[in-house]
Amino acid sequence: MSLPELPRKASRRELRKALVRLRLEMHRQELRHDTLQLTQPLRRARDLGRQLNLPHAPLWGVAAVAALGFFAARKGALRRGLRLGALLYPLLQALLHPPPEKGPD
């Protein structure tokens, strides 16, 4: 962030305007940083979906984050949810990526 250029003999009003502009810029950067922090789990889920080559990966990521939030809200349910997810993961993999069919030999 660069400082605004002020004349050597700036009035109090010009100095106040410059200060307000600096504060607005600082708030804009804080909001951008906080937004990036909040959306980081969704971006990670999207990247994971791309690595696993899942169709509709952003949708799967949003669903996973929502389910995790639902299970985390209830005490002890997170552990059960993770266990259920670990059990269902191979089944989902098999459904989403069927083995290639062999042609005639």
Side-chain angles (χ1 to χ4, degrees):
M1 178 171 69
S2 62
L3 294 174
E5 302 226 358
L6 293 173
R8 193 162 183 79
K9 299 260 184 174
S11 68
R12 290 175 59 95
R13 185 176 190 163
E14 289 172 339
L15 290 173
R16 269 191 258 127
K17 282 184 181 180
L19 183 62
V20 168
R21 284 188 190 108
L22 285 173
R23 284 183 183 161
L24 286 174
E25 178 65 21
M26 185 178 69
H27 285 299
R28 186 190 69 78
Q29 289 182 7
E30 285 177 352
L31 284 173
R32 186 171 190 274
H33 175 72
D34 292 343
T35 302
L36 288 173
Q37 292 293 97
L38 288 173
T39 58
Q40 188 175 9
L42 289 175
R43 282 185 278 126
R44 282 185 182 168
R46 183 181 62 207
D47 293 342
L48 180 65
R50 285 181 184 158
Q51 289 173 354
L52 295 176
N53 199 16
L54 293 175
H56 308 292
L59 225 52
W60 282 99
V62 170
V65 169
L68 188 60
F70 174 74
F71 286 126
R74 299 182 352 195
K75 292 183 180 176
L78 179 61
R79 193 175 324 138
R80 282 182 294 191
L82 289 175
R83 194 172 357 170
L84 179 65
L87 290 173
L88 292 177
Y89 181 74
L91 179 65
L92 286 173
Q93 278 297 103
L95 288 173
L96 292 173
H97 298 291
E101 296 181 16
K102 292 184 179 180
D105 291 329

